[in-house]
Amino acid sequence: MHQVLKEELPFNEYVINERWKSRLIDINAYKALHTKSLEQLEEFWASIARELEWFKPWDKVLDASNPPFYKWFVGGKLNLSYLALDRHVKTWRKNKLAIEWEGEPVDENGNPTEQRKLTYFDLYREVNRAAYMLKHNFGIRKGDRITLYMPMIPELPIVMLAAWRIGAVTSVVFSGFSAEALAERINDSQSRIVVTVDGFWRRGKVIRLKEIVDQALEKVGTVENVIVYRRLGLKDVPMTEGRDYWWHKVMEGIKANAYVEPEPLESEHPSFILYTSGTTGKPKGIVHDTGGWAVHVYATMKWVFDLREEDIYWCTADIGWVTGHSYVVLGPLMIGATQVIYEGAPDYPQPDRWWAIIERYGVTILYTSPTAIRMFMRYGEEWPRRHDLSTLRIIHSVGEPINPEAWRWAYKVLGNENVAMASTWWMTETGGIVISHTPGLYLIPMKPGTNGLPLPGFDVDVFDDNGKPAPPGVRGYLVIKRPWPGMLHGIWGDPDRYIKTYWSKFPGVFYAGDYAIKDQDGYIWVLGRADEVIKVAGHRLGTYELESALVSHPTVAEAAVVGVPDPIKGEVPIAFVVLKQGVMPSDELRKELRDHVRKTIGPVAEPAHIFFVTKLPKTRSGKIMRRLLKAVATGAPLGDTTTLEDETSVEEAKKAYEELRREIARG
Ligand code: WT7
């Protein structure tokens, strides 16, 4: 976690500006509104759900007869693809731009060489054709899982919406994950097909994605077909006869006006599985439904992003994460927005790429991450100053705590002190935003670094160790006390883990796994993870996952991974490694191990440092005391060490750490 000391949190720094003054509301008035929403929780959510179009109305808003297996809008039928497309195509929005897409490559003047503009009607046509392809060419049926391993191109939302149109369940795997991580996710979800591309651009380099799929499929039994979209036109793409098909070849046989009836799906029908890290080595397949998720995302699009017809919205998150699912694919399309999608790296070819994009399209709403903001802060003000960013009226961040300094920088340099800005708290499991400022509703004074107050309809609290509300200013655990529409519907194939992970620390209450503080105004400040999960540039990684990757290397006997603060990425992993007998530590081996983790999980997981030690600090019962390693690496006090079996293990870790510090100081 980014080390936010309680003392440095600006609990009393209130910010408001001219543009947003008209939305300003007294904190207590907002709280009264919030309380009222909780008093009639079901009616509150039903009134929002009525704004969507249902094929069949629900019989019951919330079925809480078998907690924590809650069900929302039971008996109701709807279709996400219909809500995102058909509904608009019947109105004037038919010819409104849905997507402004930009590829990574630029010409000698820095202008993008690839741009695509898709109207709602274009998207509708393409989604129908893709749905036709899935259904008729590949025999995909309701409930089948399909894995999507694709970069940020329009075909990713297209194939997701196509899948949801026919009731297939998507499992999107981030295109930065390794073959091994992909194989694990395909196996767990038992996907019948994989959709991918030949390759794509990343920081001027070609990533040959189809080859990674081939490696993954050596370890997978369920996949019948691979559909390959030709993104780059690469030569020598390996295609397995009878299994692999080119998207464009199949599409040649599908009419431009192909139409596939949107399947009326039960509200409870799963729409997607998304894998995320937890405290064990095995990623959890978080399952989301159709109706509840749609209602949650729809409400937050309005409250948090204040979407108007004339807006140009840009969420910079990759669709491989939940932010992209909710706020690139479903949310903006359901609300009928025009949005920007950019394929490439934020600072390619220069650190002003994002600012050029904002200027080019006139972006009004930006949803991004603290890591990106800190990176641009480091590049300096001159880059954003070269561009006209005056169109921006809302900037939100997500994924990790934003330090007050980064908030102030973005507010001033990007937002010209005239934007609404929040750090929206939520997680893969919540399906949508839970704590945020709400410029689309009423706005309470902002404070740099806070998450703000819980949104209407969300019963959020900070608990102490005994499950009692923690007093203001005291760190506790973030919880959600009542079910909410976008909530996860379990972990794919593992109901026990669902109960154990989220509903057992405080019985009957959802435990998020985060530390948080409530200030004297009731504003929530999420501080970081309370479990063995770390956030690297906003990406969620389990330390145990990294340890498993290290231990899978033939030279490694044991490993312990902890997250340490990093000025840009928030946190980075460092690893303490015990080598097998007879293996000599060396710089080459260190490099090899880092590469090994990259290959096993993906580039985001690469440890910043690897320390070779002869033993790890453990309790007498043999549990690794990561807490002590973290203290060593951050210079924090060790705290209680009475359960530590062997004191010298900590001394050794300290020595290894200090050696490295000296090395770094020497350059
Ligand atoms: C974890 C969830 C939700 C989309 C991206 C992350 C951290 C998320 C914030 C924020 C402080 C935040 C929490 C949470 N987190 N947003 N605004 N302030 N922390 O989804 O990968 O499921 O990670 O991200 O630690 O538990 P995710």
Side-chain angles (χ1 to χ4, degrees):
M1 112 175 98
H2 175 81
Q3 281 297 21
V4 193
L5 298 175
K6 226 166 60 180
E7 292 71 23
E8 63 180 49
L9 295 177
F11 283 167
N12 298 314
E13 187 180 332
Y14 300 99
V15 180
I16 189 72
N17 56 51
E18 268 314 303
R19 174 186 263 142
W20 290 100
K21 234 161 68 188
S22 63
R23 289 283 165 88
L24 195 62
I25 189 177
D26 177 73
I27 296 167
N28 288 318
Y30 182 95
K31 280 187 191 163
L33 198 131
H34 181 257
T35 306
K36 209 169 137 216
S37 73
L38 295 185
E39 278 164 9
Q40 325 156 354
L41 191 73
E42 294 184 26
E43 181 40 40
F44 175 76
W45 284 116
S47 70
I48 292 158
R50 273 182 221 114
E51 291 182 29
L52 301 178
E53 203 179 317
W54 296 72
F55 297 142
K56 178 179 172 295
W58 57 89
D59 308 313
K60 202 169 169 28
V61 177
L62 172 65
D63 175 355
S65 60
N66 182 26
F69 299 92
Y70 298 97
K71 293 179 180 165
W72 282 90
F73 307 109
V74 187
K77 290 196 176 179
L78 76 171
N79 185 287
L80 298 177
S81 163
Y82 179 88
L83 291 178
L85 301 166
D86 304 46
R87 228 166 45 128
H88 304 310
V89 164
K90 289 192 251 171
T91 71
W92 69 269
R93 285 204 198 97
K94 177 178 175 189
N95 300 319
K96 181 179 173 177
L97 273 188
I99 295 176
E100 296 255 31
W101 179 82
E102 184 168 310
E104 189 184 73
V106 289
D107 63 19
E108 60 280 1
N109 301 317
N111 294 318
T113 54
E114 292 175 278
Q115 286 169 294
R116 287 168 68 188
K117 292 179 190 289
L118 288 102
T119 64
Y120 274 91
F121 188 62
D122 295 333
L123 209 54
Y124 168 82
R125 278 278 161 94
E126 289 312 308
V127 167
N128 268 290
R129 295 177 77 220
Y132 188 98
M133 166 172 77
L134 293 177
K135 190 170 171 170
H136 299 292
N137 296 77
F138 294 97
I140 297 298
R141 287 180 303 268
K142 181 178 167 187
D144 285 346
R145 274 81 60 206
I146 74 173
T147 293
L148 312 175
Y149 186 56
M150 300 170 80
M152 291 292 280
I153 56 172
E155 280 64 28
L156 178 48
I158 286 171
V159 70
M160 287 165 84
L161 290 163
W164 298 337
R165 196 168 184 88
I166 60 174
V169 183
T170 59
S171 165
V172 180
V173 177
F174 174 52
S175 58
F177 274 134
S178 67
E180 219 151 299
L182 174 62
E184 186 176 18
R185 286 156 177 77
I186 298 173
N187 267 329
D188 189 79
S189 62
Q190 301 273 292
S191 284
R192 288 185 57 196
I193 63 169
V194 176
V195 186
T196 189
V197 297
D198 52 350
F200 67 102
W201 292 109
R202 189 72 192 177
R203 213 176 288 279
K205 257 179 43 196
V206 169
I207 312 285
R208 300 181 70 97
L209 213 60
K210 170 62 166 61
E211 289 175 14
I212 305 179
V213 172
D214 285 349
Q215 287 166 29
L217 292 191
E218 286 167 19
K219 298 181 179 140
V220 166
T222 56
V223 172
E224 296 157 29
N225 294 113
V226 180
I227 306 174
V228 188
Y229 178 80
R230 195 171 60 183
R231 157 73 189 104
L232 296 182
L234 296 179
K235 299 216 168 58
D236 316 318
V237 177
M239 297 290 277
T240 301
E241 181 79 33
R243 186 196 69 183
D244 304 350
Y245 292 87
W246 286 105
W247 170 301
H248 64 279
K249 289 276 180 213
V250 181
M251 282 290 187
E252 271 169 17
I254 301 173
K255 291 214 281 282
N257 66 346
Y259 174 75
V260 175
E261 190 85 29
E263 186 87 24
L265 300 171
E266 303 76 30
S267 175
E268 280 304 294
H269 182 74
S271 55
F272 70 93
I273 304 172
L274 188 59
Y275 287 85
T276 190
S277 297
T279 52
T280 74
K282 195 170 135 57
K284 302 177 277 200
I286 303 298
V287 182
H288 281 281
D289 76 351
T290 300
W293 183 48
V295 171
H296 185 158
V297 169
Y298 174 77
T300 50
M301 274 321 284
K302 299 205 335 185
W303 301 338
V304 178
F305 296 104
D306 186 37
L307 247 301
R308 320 235 180 108
E309 294 296 356
E310 63 273 24
D311 273 314
I312 305 288
Y313 167 96
W314 185 22
C315 167
T316 64
D318 195 284
I319 295 171
W321 314 113
V322 75
T323 310
H325 278 63
S326 298
Y327 298 109
V328 177
V329 183
L330 184 61
L333 297 178
M334 200 166 35
I335 213 102
T338 299
Q339 70 172 320
V340 172
I341 297 181
Y342 168 56
E343 175 188 36
D347 51 355
Y348 182 87
Q350 296 201 112
D352 64 345
R353 182 63 183 266
W354 274 19
W355 320 133
I357 290 175
I358 290 175
E359 183 175 52
R360 192 151 35 244
Y361 303 99
V363 172
T364 56
I365 301 170
L366 179 70
Y367 194 25
T368 189
S369 73
T371 290
I373 292 173
R374 288 190 293 260
M375 180 186 84
F376 288 124
M377 236 173 115
R378 177 162 292 195
Y379 281 131
E381 284 184 29
E382 65 268 25
W383 297 99
R385 296 271 184 239
R386 285 184 196 180
H387 297 275
D388 178 6
L389 307 184
S390 63
T391 48
L392 287 172
R393 62 184 193 92
I394 294 177
I395 303 175
H396 291 319
S397 75
V398 63
E400 42 173 330
I402 185 162
N403 44 315
E405 196 197 351
W407 191 97
R408 289 190 198 99
W409 185 87
Y411 183 67
K412 187 160 163 270
V413 177
L414 308 178
N416 195 27
E417 302 186 56
N418 208 18
V419 290
M421 222 169 102
S423 167
T424 68
W425 180 88
W426 60 297
M427 56 200 303
T428 307
E429 290 84 341
T430 67
I433 298 167
V434 174
I435 311 172
S436 172
H437 295 315
T438 51
L441 198 59
Y442 298 104
L443 199 60
I444 52 167
M446 301 178 273
K447 301 184 193 185
T450 187
N451 300 105
L453 290 172
L455 301 182
F458 294 91
D459 197 357
V460 174
D461 211 338
V462 177
F463 273 5
D464 68 14
D465 282 309
N466 305 315
K468 297 268 160 1
V474 174
R475 189 180 86 168
Y477 306 98
L478 190 68
V479 297
I480 308 177
K481 294 191 283 191
R482 291 172 69 187
W484 66 98
M487 66 191 296
L488 73 166
H489 284 241
I491 296 174
W492 185 257
D494 202 345
D496 295 339
R497 193 173 173 196
Y498 169 60
I499 298 172
K500 199 166 154 263
T501 311
Y502 304 108
W503 303 93
S504 300
K505 185 171 173 79
F506 306 112
V509 166
F510 177 83
Y511 169 60
D514 279 325
Y515 282 129
I517 294 180
K518 222 171 12 180
D519 70 17
Q520 81 283 358
D521 295 324
Y523 285 45
I524 304 228
W525 302 69
V526 174
L527 304 175
R529 299 291 307 183
D531 54 10
E532 267 135 25
V533 167
I534 58 178
K535 286 287 223 109
V536 182
H539 304 315
R540 189 163 153 187
L541 293 169
T543 51
Y544 193 84
E545 227 175 319
L546 272 79
E547 290 163 7
S548 309
L550 284 163
V551 174
S552 72
H553 191 272
T555 62
V556 176
E558 272 190 303
V561 171
V562 294
V564 295
D566 179 87
I568 290 179
K569 294 182 181 171
E571 264 187 313
V572 289
I574 60 169
F576 293 84
V577 169
V578 179
L579 294 171
K580 283 191 182 150
Q581 284 249 306
V583 181
M584 293 304 289
S586 68
D587 283 346
E588 290 76 65
L589 182 55
R590 195 174 269 139
K591 186 173 173 306
E592 194 179 316
L593 291 179
R594 290 173 62 171
D595 282 348
H596 179 70
V597 176
R598 271 179 89 93
K599 271 196 222 110
T600 316
I601 304 175
V604 285
E606 184 179 327
H609 300 294
I610 289 180
F611 304 97
F612 293 118
V613 290
T614 61
K615 51 188 169 297
L616 297 171
K618 288 185 184 168
T619 62
R620 285 188 189 102
S621 57
K623 212 169 166 261
I624 298 173
M625 295 179 80
R626 295 185 188 79
R627 176 174 69 75
L628 296 180
L629 293 171
K630 188 163 176 144
V632 164
T634 55
L638 290 181
D640 182 12
T641 54
T642 48
T643 54
L644 180 62
E645 188 195 44
D646 180 350
E647 302 258 342
T648 61
S649 58
V650 176
E651 289 313 311
E652 203 193 334
K654 252 191 205 158
K655 232 179 86 195
Y657 187 75
E658 267 149 27
E659 239 160 62
L660 180 93
R661 284 239 311 250
R662 276 197 298 276
E663 238 170 72
I664 292 175
R666 278 198 301 270

